[in-house]
C-alpha cells in the first residue's frame, strides 16, 4: 500500500499513541503540538512505552520518527488529519482546520450533539468521526499506554452517512497495521451517544468519590447511584428513539441494582480502570464535565431529566463545575 501522509492535530496522550504507532508501522506522520508539549517533543523526541494492564509489566521504550509542526498551513495537504483534541477545544480549532485543503479529518472526539457544526465548518464529506481504543498517561516525557481489547472497546470509526467507503477501509487497514483493534460502525452518532451514556456516570462517580478508582470500588452508595444513572441514561436513549449501539449494551437497562453494583465494583477495582478510566477522567476533567453537560442538555431538549447523573454532577465542588 502507498505510504500515507498523516497529520495528528494534538500531541497529548491519544495523539501521541496513534501518531507514534502509525509512524512505527511505516506511515509518514507529523504531530502538531504547542507549548510545553512541543518543547518536550523537540528536546526528547516522541517516546512510547506499552504497559500491560494485567500484571503492570512494561515493554521497551519506542522512539518513533515523526515530524513536528506548530501551525497547520492551508496548503499542507495530508491523506488523513487525525483531530485528537479535547471536546471543548474543537470549536477554537475549526477555522484552522477548515482552511486546510486535506480531504479527510478523522475526529477522534466524542460529542452528544452530532456532526453538523463540524461539517458546516469544514464542508460536507470531509469529517470522518471516530473514537480511540487506547489510553494512558505521559510520565517524564514517556507516553505509557495500553490498547483496549477488541471485545471491550476497539478503535471505532465510520462515515457520518453510514456508507462503507474506500477511505474508511483504508483507514481501518492503516490502524490495524499499527496494532490497533478496530471496528466500523454504521451509525457513529448513536454509538457515541451510547458511549456517553456509559462513561459520563463512570467519570462523575470518580469525582463524586474523590478521584480514586480503588476507593470508588468500595463505595456502595456511589456504585448504586452510578448504576442507576447508567440505566436511566440508556432508557432515555431508547425512549428518545436513539439506537443503543452496540445492541448488547441495552441489556444493562435490565440488570438488577445489586448485580450492577457488583459489576461496577469489579470494573473499578481493576488496573484496567486505572489505565483507561481514571487517568483520562482526572487529566481531562474539564472535557468530561463538558461532555456530561452536553448529554444533560440533549436529554433536556428531548424532554427528559437524567436525575441520577445530575446528582453525581451536582456533588462536585462549584469551582470544578465552573471550569467547564
Amino acid at each position: 500500500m502507498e505510504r500515507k501522509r498523516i497529520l495528528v492535530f494534538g500531541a497529548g496522550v491519544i495523539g501521541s499513541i496513534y501518531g507514534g504507532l502509525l509512524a512505527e508501522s511505516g506511515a509518514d506522520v507529523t504531530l502538531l503540538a504547542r507549548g510545553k508539549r512541543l518543547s518536550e517533543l523537540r528536546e526528547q523526541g516522541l517516546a512510547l512505552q506499552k504497559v500491560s494492564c494485567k500484571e503492570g509489566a512494561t515493554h521497551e521504550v519506542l522512539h518513533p520518527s515523526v515530524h513536528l509542526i506548530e501551525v497547520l498551513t492551508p496548503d499542507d495537504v495530508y491523506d488523513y488529519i487525525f483531530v485528537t483534541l479535547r471536546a471543548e477545544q474543537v470549536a477554537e480549532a475549526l477555522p484552522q482546520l477548515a482552511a486546510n485543503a486535506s480531504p479527510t479529518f478523522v475526529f477522534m472526539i466524542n460529542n452528544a450533539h452530532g456532526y453538523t457544526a463540524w461539517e458546516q465548518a469544514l464542508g460536507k464529506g470531509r469529517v470522518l468521526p471516530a473514537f480511540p481504543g487506547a489510553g494512558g498517561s505521559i510520565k517524564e516525557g514517556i507516553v505509557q499506554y495500553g490498547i483496549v481489547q477488541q471485545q471491550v472497546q476497539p478503535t471505532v470509526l465510520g462515515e457520518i452517512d453510514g456508507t462503507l467507503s474506500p477511505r474508511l477501509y483504508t483507514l481501518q487497514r492503516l490502524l490495524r497495521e499499527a496494532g490497533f483493534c478496530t471496528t466500523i460502525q454504521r451509525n457513529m452518532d448513536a454509538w457515541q451517544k451510547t458511549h456517553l451514556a456509559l462513561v459520563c456516570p463512570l467519570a462523575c462517580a470518580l469525582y463524586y468519590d474523590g478521584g480514586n478508582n480503588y476507593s470508588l470500588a468500595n463505595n456502595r452508595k456511589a456504585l448504586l447511584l452510578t448504576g442507576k444513572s447508567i440505566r436511566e441514561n440508556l432508557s432515555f436513549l431508547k425512549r428518545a428513539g436513539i439506537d443503543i449501539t452496540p445492541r448488547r449494551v441495552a441489556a444493562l437497562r435490565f440488570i438488577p441494582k445489586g448485580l450492577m453494583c457488583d459489576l461496577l465494583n469489579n470494573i473499578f477495582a481493576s488496573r484496567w480502570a486505572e489505565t483507561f478510566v481514571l487517568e483520562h477522567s482526572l487529566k481531562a476533567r474539564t472535557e468530561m464535565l463538558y461532555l456530561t453537560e452536553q448529554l444533560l442538555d440533549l436529554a433536556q431538549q428531548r424532554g427528559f431529566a437524567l436525575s441520577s447523573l445530575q446528582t453525581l454532577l451536582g456533588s462536585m465542588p462549584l469551582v470544578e463545575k465552573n471550569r467547564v
Side-chain angles (χ1 to χ4, degrees):
M1 183 172 62
E2 177 189 353
R3 190 183 190 207
K4 296 299 181 182
R5 192 163 184 258
I6 293 170
L7 171 69
V8 179
F9 195 99
V13 172
I14 296 301
S16 296
I17 296 170
Y18 279 82
L21 294 183
L22 283 164
E24 282 289 296
S25 69
D28 180 4
V29 175
T30 298
L31 297 183
L32 185 146
R34 294 194 178 102
K36 180 181 176 181
R37 182 60 176 151
L38 178 60
S39 298
E40 187 175 63
L41 289 168
R42 282 175 172 166
E43 292 173 7
Q44 304 179 28
L46 179 60
L48 302 178
Q49 184 177 41
K50 189 173 183 180
V51 179
S52 170
C53 289
K54 287 187 177 181
E55 65 274 3
T58 56
H59 298 245
E60 67 174 317
V61 178
L62 301 176
H63 296 278
S65 177
V66 298
H67 313 289
L68 296 173
I69 61 172
E70 188 172 5
V71 176
L72 176 62
T73 58
D75 57 350
D76 193 9
V77 177
Y78 298 85
D79 295 297
Y80 292 96
I81 291 183
F82 285 72
V83 183
T84 56
L85 302 173
R86 293 177 180 171
E88 76 278 13
Q89 298 172 333
V90 174
E92 184 179 350
L94 284 177
Q96 187 178 169
L97 295 172
N100 184 267
S102 299
T104 303
F105 294 78
V106 183
F107 279 76
M108 303 196 85
I109 302 160
N110 210 339
N111 77 89
H113 290 158
Y115 316 114
T116 301
W118 298 352
E119 281 205 306
Q120 285 177 344
L122 272 67
K124 194 170 181 61
R126 294 217 293 164
V127 174
L128 197 157
F131 196 81
S137 59
I138 302 176
K139 297 179 180 178
E140 297 181 354
I142 299 174
V143 180
Q144 296 186 338
Y145 74 96
I147 294 176
V148 187
Q149 297 174 332
Q150 182 77 33
Q151 62 269 31
V152 178
Q153 187 206 291
T155 299
V156 185
L157 52 150
E159 294 284 0
I160 291 176
D161 61 4
T163 58
L164 300 176
S165 63
R167 71 174 180 176
L168 187 60
Y169 284 124
T170 298
L171 179 59
Q172 183 181 45
R173 186 163 63 251
L174 283 169
L175 290 169
R176 285 181 171 174
E177 288 175 354
F180 296 100
C181 305
T182 67
T183 189
I184 290 175
Q185 277 291 339
R186 301 294 290 268
N187 190 341
M188 276 299 297
D189 183 56
W191 186 92
Q192 292 200 309
K193 286 179 170 62
T194 302
H195 186 259
L196 287 177
L198 299 176
V199 300
C200 288
L202 298 183
C204 288
L206 281 165
Y207 309 144
Y208 179 95
D209 181 69
N212 183 292
N213 59 294
Y214 299 106
S215 170
L216 176 57
N218 295 308
N219 186 338
R220 187 170 179 82
K221 177 183 176 182
L223 295 182
L224 287 169
L225 183 58
T226 304
K228 185 177 179 183
S229 177
I230 289 172
R231 289 192 297 272
E232 285 180 358
N233 295 350
L234 293 176
S235 293
F236 150 62
L237 296 182
K238 180 70 174 178
R239 293 165 62 193
I242 299 168
D243 291 337
I244 297 174
T245 307
R247 291 182 180 178
R248 65 178 182 273
V249 174
L252 294 176
R253 295 167 56 216
F254 308 107
I255 293 181
K257 65 180 182 179
L259 186 57
M260 176 71 91
C261 190
D262 292 340
L263 175 62
L264 291 170
N265 167 270
N266 289 331
I267 290 172
F268 283 116
S270 67
R271 185 173 173 82
W272 182 91
E274 182 179 348
T275 302
F276 295 108
V277 183
L278 180 70
E279 291 283 0
H280 181 75
S281 296
L282 296 184
K283 295 290 186 182
R285 187 181 301 237
T286 305
E287 178 182 39
M288 289 311 306
L289 296 178
Y290 176 86
L291 291 170
T292 299
E293 293 285 5
Q294 274 199 350
L295 181 61
L296 290 167
D297 182 60
L298 175 68
Q300 185 178 41
Q301 290 176 14
R302 303 292 181 92
F304 296 89
L306 304 179
S307 58
S308 295
L309 185 57
Q310 285 276 19
T311 300
L312 285 170
L313 184 65
S315 69
M316 296 183 59
L318 185 61
V319 66
E320 294 289 354
K321 289 185 284 187
N322 284 343
R323 292 179 185 173
V324 178

PDB file of all heavy atoms in Angstrom, residues 8 14 21 29 77 80 94 126-127 154 159 193 205 212 214 221 259 295:
ATOM      1  N   VAL A   8      -1.326  14.419  12.883  1.00  0.00           N
ATOM      2  CA  VAL A   8      -2.079  14.274  14.126  1.00  0.00           C
ATOM      3  C   VAL A   8      -2.157  15.655  14.767  1.00  0.00           C
ATOM      4  O   VAL A   8      -1.136  16.214  15.179  1.00  0.00           O
ATOM      5  CB  VAL A   8      -1.417  13.257  15.070  1.00  0.00           C
ATOM      6  CG1 VAL A   8      -2.216  13.153  16.361  1.00  0.00           C
ATOM      7  CG2 VAL A   8      -1.321  11.889  14.398  1.00  0.00           C
ATOM      8  N   ILE A  14      -3.511  10.639  23.502  1.00  0.00           N
ATOM      9  CA  ILE A  14      -4.125   9.918  22.377  1.00  0.00           C
ATOM     10  C   ILE A  14      -3.397  10.234  21.078  1.00  0.00           C
ATOM     11  O   ILE A  14      -3.068   9.327  20.293  1.00  0.00           O
ATOM     12  CB  ILE A  14      -5.620  10.271  22.261  1.00  0.00           C
ATOM     13  CG1 ILE A  14      -6.379   9.789  23.507  1.00  0.00           C
ATOM     14  CG2 ILE A  14      -6.216   9.640  21.008  1.00  0.00           C
ATOM     15  CD1 ILE A  14      -6.285   8.294  23.769  1.00  0.00           C
ATOM     16  N   LEU A  21       2.451   5.043  16.850  1.00  0.00           N
ATOM     17  CA  LEU A  21       2.314   3.677  16.345  1.00  0.00           C
ATOM     18  C   LEU A  21       2.075   3.654  14.839  1.00  0.00           C
ATOM     19  O   LEU A  21       2.512   2.720  14.154  1.00  0.00           O
ATOM     20  CB  LEU A  21       1.199   2.945  17.094  1.00  0.00           C
ATOM     21  CG  LEU A  21       1.478   2.700  18.581  1.00  0.00           C
ATOM     22  CD1 LEU A  21       0.338   1.910  19.217  1.00  0.00           C
ATOM     23  CD2 LEU A  21       2.808   1.980  18.791  1.00  0.00           C
ATOM     24  N   VAL A  29       4.303  10.460   9.407  1.00  0.00           N
ATOM     25  CA  VAL A  29       3.473  11.105  10.427  1.00  0.00           C
ATOM     26  C   VAL A  29       4.066  12.434  10.879  1.00  0.00           C
ATOM     27  O   VAL A  29       5.265  12.543  11.144  1.00  0.00           O
ATOM     28  CB  VAL A  29       3.297  10.182  11.650  1.00  0.00           C
ATOM     29  CG1 VAL A  29       2.545  10.901  12.770  1.00  0.00           C
ATOM     30  CG2 VAL A  29       2.560   8.904  11.249  1.00  0.00           C
ATOM     31  N   VAL A  77      -1.069  19.550   2.678  1.00  0.00           N
ATOM     32  CA  VAL A  77      -2.125  18.552   2.490  1.00  0.00           C
ATOM     33  C   VAL A  77      -1.673  17.163   2.945  1.00  0.00           C
ATOM     34  O   VAL A  77      -0.573  16.716   2.627  1.00  0.00           O
ATOM     35  CB  VAL A  77      -2.576  18.519   1.013  1.00  0.00           C
ATOM     36  CG1 VAL A  77      -3.618  17.436   0.793  1.00  0.00           C
ATOM     37  CG2 VAL A  77      -3.123  19.885   0.601  1.00  0.00           C
ATOM     38  N   TYR A  80      -4.764  11.906   5.670  1.00  0.00           N
ATOM     39  CA  TYR A  80      -5.687  11.924   6.815  1.00  0.00           C
ATOM     40  C   TYR A  80      -5.143  12.887   7.855  1.00  0.00           C
ATOM     41  O   TYR A  80      -3.949  12.882   8.151  1.00  0.00           O
ATOM     42  CB  TYR A  80      -5.800  10.537   7.476  1.00  0.00           C
ATOM     43  CG  TYR A  80      -6.474   9.483   6.630  1.00  0.00           C
ATOM     44  CD1 TYR A  80      -5.716   8.606   5.866  1.00  0.00           C
ATOM     45  CD2 TYR A  80      -7.862   9.349   6.614  1.00  0.00           C
ATOM     46  CE1 TYR A  80      -6.325   7.624   5.091  1.00  0.00           C
ATOM     47  CE2 TYR A  80      -8.474   8.366   5.853  1.00  0.00           C
ATOM     48  CZ  TYR A  80      -7.695   7.516   5.088  1.00  0.00           C
ATOM     49  OH  TYR A  80      -8.301   6.543   4.329  1.00  0.00           O
ATOM     50  N   LEU A  94     -11.517  24.784  14.714  1.00  0.00           N
ATOM     51  CA  LEU A  94     -12.227  24.574  13.446  1.00  0.00           C
ATOM     52  C   LEU A  94     -11.796  25.527  12.333  1.00  0.00           C
ATOM     53  O   LEU A  94     -11.625  25.090  11.186  1.00  0.00           O
ATOM     54  CB  LEU A  94     -13.736  24.657  13.664  1.00  0.00           C
ATOM     55  CG  LEU A  94     -14.388  23.427  14.319  1.00  0.00           C
ATOM     56  CD1 LEU A  94     -15.871  23.682  14.548  1.00  0.00           C
ATOM     57  CD2 LEU A  94     -14.177  22.169  13.476  1.00  0.00           C
ATOM     58  N   ARG A 126     -15.948  15.881   4.489  1.00  0.00           N
ATOM     59  CA  ARG A 126     -14.550  15.925   4.964  1.00  0.00           C
ATOM     60  C   ARG A 126     -14.414  15.427   6.403  1.00  0.00           C
ATOM     61  O   ARG A 126     -13.289  15.220   6.875  1.00  0.00           O
ATOM     62  CB  ARG A 126     -13.996  17.341   4.860  1.00  0.00           C
ATOM     63  CG  ARG A 126     -13.854  17.827   3.418  1.00  0.00           C
ATOM     64  CD  ARG A 126     -12.611  18.684   3.236  1.00  0.00           C
ATOM     65  NE  ARG A 126     -12.688  19.953   3.941  1.00  0.00           N
ATOM     66  CZ  ARG A 126     -11.630  20.741   4.189  1.00  0.00           C
ATOM     67  NH1 ARG A 126     -10.416  20.364   3.817  1.00  0.00           N
ATOM     68  NH2 ARG A 126     -11.778  21.892   4.804  1.00  0.00           N
ATOM     69  N   VAL A 127     -15.519  15.227   7.105  1.00  0.00           N
ATOM     70  CA  VAL A 127     -15.474  14.779   8.500  1.00  0.00           C
ATOM     71  C   VAL A 127     -15.709  13.274   8.577  1.00  0.00           C
ATOM     72  O   VAL A 127     -16.674  12.756   8.012  1.00  0.00           O
ATOM     73  CB  VAL A 127     -16.533  15.522   9.348  1.00  0.00           C
ATOM     74  CG1 VAL A 127     -16.586  14.953  10.765  1.00  0.00           C
ATOM     75  CG2 VAL A 127     -16.247  17.014   9.369  1.00  0.00           C
ATOM     76  N   PRO A 154     -12.722  -1.454  20.899  1.00  0.00           N
ATOM     77  CA  PRO A 154     -11.679  -1.178  19.908  1.00  0.00           C
ATOM     78  C   PRO A 154     -11.771   0.263  19.433  1.00  0.00           C
ATOM     79  O   PRO A 154     -12.687   1.001  19.816  1.00  0.00           O
ATOM     80  CB  PRO A 154     -12.025  -2.148  18.774  1.00  0.00           C
ATOM     81  CG  PRO A 154     -13.513  -2.295  18.877  1.00  0.00           C
ATOM     82  CD  PRO A 154     -13.827  -2.232  20.348  1.00  0.00           C
ATOM     83  N   GLU A 159     -18.382   6.359   8.604  1.00  0.00           N
ATOM     84  CA  GLU A 159     -18.831   7.549   7.875  1.00  0.00           C
ATOM     85  C   GLU A 159     -20.102   8.098   8.524  1.00  0.00           C
ATOM     86  O   GLU A 159     -20.902   7.348   9.093  1.00  0.00           O
ATOM     87  CB  GLU A 159     -19.109   7.208   6.414  1.00  0.00           C
ATOM     88  CG  GLU A 159     -17.883   6.796   5.611  1.00  0.00           C
ATOM     89  CD  GLU A 159     -16.990   7.972   5.230  1.00  0.00           C
ATOM     90  OE1 GLU A 159     -17.327   9.130   5.602  1.00  0.00           O
ATOM     91  OE2 GLU A 159     -15.962   7.738   4.555  1.00  0.00           O
ATOM     92  N   LYS A 193     -23.348   8.558  21.349  1.00  0.00           N
ATOM     93  CA  LYS A 193     -24.310   8.904  22.394  1.00  0.00           C
ATOM     94  C   LYS A 193     -24.415   7.774  23.422  1.00  0.00           C
ATOM     95  O   LYS A 193     -24.516   8.019  24.633  1.00  0.00           O
ATOM     96  CB  LYS A 193     -25.676   9.206  21.765  1.00  0.00           C
ATOM     97  CG  LYS A 193     -25.746  10.555  21.042  1.00  0.00           C
ATOM     98  CD  LYS A 193     -27.103  10.776  20.417  1.00  0.00           C
ATOM     99  CE  LYS A 193     -27.282  12.217  19.905  1.00  0.00           C
ATOM    100  NZ  LYS A 193     -26.345  12.605  18.858  1.00  0.00           N
ATOM    101  N   ALA A 205     -18.731   9.539  38.811  1.00  0.00           N
ATOM    102  CA  ALA A 205     -18.639   8.734  40.036  1.00  0.00           C
ATOM    103  C   ALA A 205     -17.246   8.854  40.647  1.00  0.00           C
ATOM    104  O   ALA A 205     -17.092   8.905  41.874  1.00  0.00           O
ATOM    105  CB  ALA A 205     -18.969   7.276  39.731  1.00  0.00           C
ATOM    106  N   ASN A 212     -10.365   8.319  43.067  1.00  0.00           N
ATOM    107  CA  ASN A 212      -9.560   7.100  43.162  1.00  0.00           C
ATOM    108  C   ASN A 212     -10.445   5.913  42.823  1.00  0.00           C
ATOM    109  O   ASN A 212     -11.441   5.658  43.501  1.00  0.00           O
ATOM    110  CB  ASN A 212      -8.978   6.944  44.574  1.00  0.00           C
ATOM    111  CG  ASN A 212      -8.071   5.734  44.697  1.00  0.00           C
ATOM    112  OD1 ASN A 212      -8.513   4.591  44.626  1.00  0.00           O
ATOM    113  ND2 ASN A 212      -6.775   5.988  44.885  1.00  0.00           N
ATOM    114  N   TYR A 214      -9.965   2.711  43.100  1.00  0.00           N
ATOM    115  CA  TYR A 214      -9.992   1.618  44.090  1.00  0.00           C
ATOM    116  C   TYR A 214     -10.864   1.993  45.291  1.00  0.00           C
ATOM    117  O   TYR A 214     -11.558   1.138  45.854  1.00  0.00           O
ATOM    118  CB  TYR A 214      -8.568   1.285  44.529  1.00  0.00           C
ATOM    119  CG  TYR A 214      -7.703   0.815  43.386  1.00  0.00           C
ATOM    120  CD1 TYR A 214      -6.717   1.635  42.848  1.00  0.00           C
ATOM    121  CD2 TYR A 214      -7.892  -0.448  42.810  1.00  0.00           C
ATOM    122  CE1 TYR A 214      -5.928   1.209  41.781  1.00  0.00           C
ATOM    123  CE2 TYR A 214      -7.118  -0.880  41.744  1.00  0.00           C
ATOM    124  CZ  TYR A 214      -6.138  -0.038  41.236  1.00  0.00           C
ATOM    125  OH  TYR A 214      -5.370  -0.463  40.182  1.00  0.00           O
ATOM    126  N   LYS A 221     -22.641   3.187  48.032  1.00  0.00           N
ATOM    127  CA  LYS A 221     -23.604   4.251  47.730  1.00  0.00           C
ATOM    128  C   LYS A 221     -23.324   4.851  46.357  1.00  0.00           C
ATOM    129  O   LYS A 221     -24.243   5.040  45.543  1.00  0.00           O
ATOM    130  CB  LYS A 221     -23.538   5.329  48.799  1.00  0.00           C
ATOM    131  CG  LYS A 221     -24.455   6.520  48.532  1.00  0.00           C
ATOM    132  CD  LYS A 221     -24.281   7.605  49.594  1.00  0.00           C
ATOM    133  CE  LYS A 221     -25.135   8.834  49.256  1.00  0.00           C
ATOM    134  NZ  LYS A 221     -24.944   9.921  50.257  1.00  0.00           N
ATOM    135  N   LEU A 259     -26.626  -6.599  41.202  1.00  0.00           N
ATOM    136  CA  LEU A 259     -25.702  -7.175  40.226  1.00  0.00           C
ATOM    137  C   LEU A 259     -24.922  -6.079  39.507  1.00  0.00           C
ATOM    138  O   LEU A 259     -23.727  -6.220  39.239  1.00  0.00           O
ATOM    139  CB  LEU A 259     -26.475  -8.030  39.220  1.00  0.00           C
ATOM    140  CG  LEU A 259     -25.643  -8.827  38.212  1.00  0.00           C
ATOM    141  CD1 LEU A 259     -24.661  -9.753  38.926  1.00  0.00           C
ATOM    142  CD2 LEU A 259     -26.562  -9.627  37.279  1.00  0.00           C
ATOM    143  N   LEU A 295     -24.616  15.908  27.339  1.00  0.00           N
ATOM    144  CA  LEU A 295     -25.594  14.820  27.435  1.00  0.00           C
ATOM    145  C   LEU A 295     -26.834  15.268  28.187  1.00  0.00           C
ATOM    146  O   LEU A 295     -27.971  14.980  27.767  1.00  0.00           O
ATOM    147  CB  LEU A 295     -24.950  13.615  28.121  1.00  0.00           C
ATOM    148  CG  LEU A 295     -25.836  12.366  28.273  1.00  0.00           C
ATOM    149  CD1 LEU A 295     -26.267  11.842  26.905  1.00  0.00           C
ATOM    150  CD2 LEU A 295     -25.099  11.285  29.057  1.00  0.00           C
TER     151      LEU A 295
END
